Amino acid sequence: MSLVRRAAVAGSWYPGSASELAAAVDRHLAHADRDDLVLRGELVALISPHAGLMYSGPVAAHAYRLLRNRRVDVAVLVGPSHFVGFDGVAVVPSGGFETPFGVASIDAACAADLAAASTIVREHPSAHAREHSLEMQLPFLQRVAPRASIVPLVMGYQTADTARNLAQALALVLRGRHALLVASTDLSHYHNRAAAARLDATVIDCVSRFDTDGLQHALNLQPEHACGGGPTVAVMRAAERLGASHAALLAYADSGEISGDTSAVVGYLAAAFGTFENATEGRQDEDTKKNQLHVIR
């Protein structure tokens, strides 16, 4: 029997009515529209944050605006588990996830193929019950790609082996599908703005250079760089296997932009991976990075 996972944070982390949610999402998307962030070419994966919509929505919009006029049959959402500790990756095999916009249907065939491709991908319903890291992607996804189905994946203990094994399964299963990978992560948590910026700069640098090994090394030394570091590494590795050769930094901000409190902030990053005709090859100098990354202040 296919079940619908009811929204856990609608009405608190984002508006609980469809009209109010549409207005909020559309406002963020409109503010994110910038001609210099047009990426021409194949889009394979995104990094998007997952805090409350008022906090991370301005950054997430820079990622999801790229889906306009692109075909996405299935979006594979990979996020961290904030409430349940477990080995491997929890999948919901069928049914759908509900938001005020309706039910995002799960691609049962794709979910089954992933479970068959790796023993680490299996059902663990309690991991999804309260989890917000995937749910916070849905308002944007449903707004800009309403026909896309989803595969919801929550990573438990974020080990390097888990990230590597998941990446292999994703690359195997998604090749030939019109699929989008989404790594759901926030960056550092509850440091003052200066300290957060230093921690977040490590992730931003690794992402800008498409340096997955470097990011994994940084996370091994200091997991606090990102709450969804494991999902991010897995998505980056899978994207590279699927042919992505470029990374594009899209936006960065911290929670202090909204709260006004810069003594304990959470960092947010939006980025894209693919084969972009207007991408900058190789290592970028600092001026190029600053021009490419939209810092929201």
Side-chain angles (χ1 to χ4, degrees):
M1 179 180 177
S2 296
L3 300 176
V4 172
R5 185 263 193 191
R6 301 301 176 189
V9 293
S12 55
W13 288 48
Y14 59 90
S17 75
S19 60
E20 292 177 355
L21 182 57
V25 170
D26 289 350
R27 183 171 61 253
H28 291 317
L29 289 169
H31 289 165
D33 277 329
R34 297 171 61 224
D35 290 341
D36 59 325
L37 285 180
V38 174
L39 295 177
R40 298 184 298 273
E42 183 183 2
L43 176 66
V44 178
L46 299 173
I47 294 174
S48 176
H50 57 235
L53 188 64
M54 66 180 292
Y55 290 100
S56 66
V59 173
H62 282 82
Y64 281 100
R65 66 182 289 274
L66 300 180
L67 300 191
R68 292 190 182 122
N69 302 316
R70 293 182 186 270
R71 177 179 173 181
V72 179
D73 291 344
V74 57
V76 180
L77 311 177
V78 189
S81 175
H82 287 88
F83 303 107
V84 181
F86 60 96
D87 291 316
V89 178
V91 63
V92 180
S94 62
F97 275 39
E98 181 189 53
T99 76
F101 287 151
V103 176
S105 298
I106 292 171
D107 186 327
C110 187
D113 288 347
L114 280 170
S118 176
T119 57
I120 69 167
V121 179
R122 52 188 178 272
E123 293 184 56
H124 196 326
S126 64
H128 286 273
R130 297 173 56 201
E131 184 53 56
H132 59 271
S133 64
L134 306 187
E135 183 176 335
M136 291 309 301
Q137 307 305 320
L138 296 179
F140 282 104
L141 182 65
Q142 289 176 299
R143 195 66 174 158
V144 297
R147 294 182 178 84
S149 60
I150 63 171
V151 175
L153 300 172
V154 167
M155 185 179 292
Y157 302 126
Q158 297 180 38
T159 67
D161 284 344
T162 295
R164 185 176 295 105
N165 289 338
L166 177 59
Q168 291 171 351
L170 289 168
L172 176 66
V173 169
L174 299 184
R175 186 168 286 109
R177 284 179 158 105
H178 290 279
L180 173 76
L181 283 160
V182 179
S184 175
T185 187
D186 294 335
L187 300 187
S188 63
H189 285 54
Y190 310 129
H191 299 275
N192 65 58
R193 174 170 282 171
R198 288 192 295 272
L199 286 166
D200 297 348
T202 297
V203 178
I204 290 168
D205 178 62
C206 290
V207 169
S208 72
R209 293 183 290 107
F210 212 150
D211 183 2
T212 314
D213 289 339
L215 179 56
Q216 183 64 69
H217 179 68
L219 292 167
N220 290 343
L221 296 176
Q222 241 178 330
E224 65 183 312
H225 280 299
C227 66
T232 302
V233 168
V235 164
M236 288 175 65
R237 289 199 192 283
E240 190 169 21
R241 286 171 176 260
L242 289 167
S245 54
H246 304 130
L249 300 171
L250 304 174
Y252 170 77
D254 63 51
S255 56
E257 311 300 333
I258 302 300
S259 70
D261 180 5
T262 60
S263 66
V265 303
V266 178
Y268 311 125
L269 174 68
F273 304 93
T275 304
F276 306 130
E277 298 168 12
N278 53 331
T280 302
E281 297 284 354
R283 181 185 288 270
Q284 300 169 348
D285 62 31
E286 291 305 313
D287 287 338
T288 303
K289 287 181 187 178
K290 288 175 183 177
N291 290 335
Q292 187 182 19
L293 180 63
H294 181 43
V295 179
I296 300 174
R297 287 283 186 262

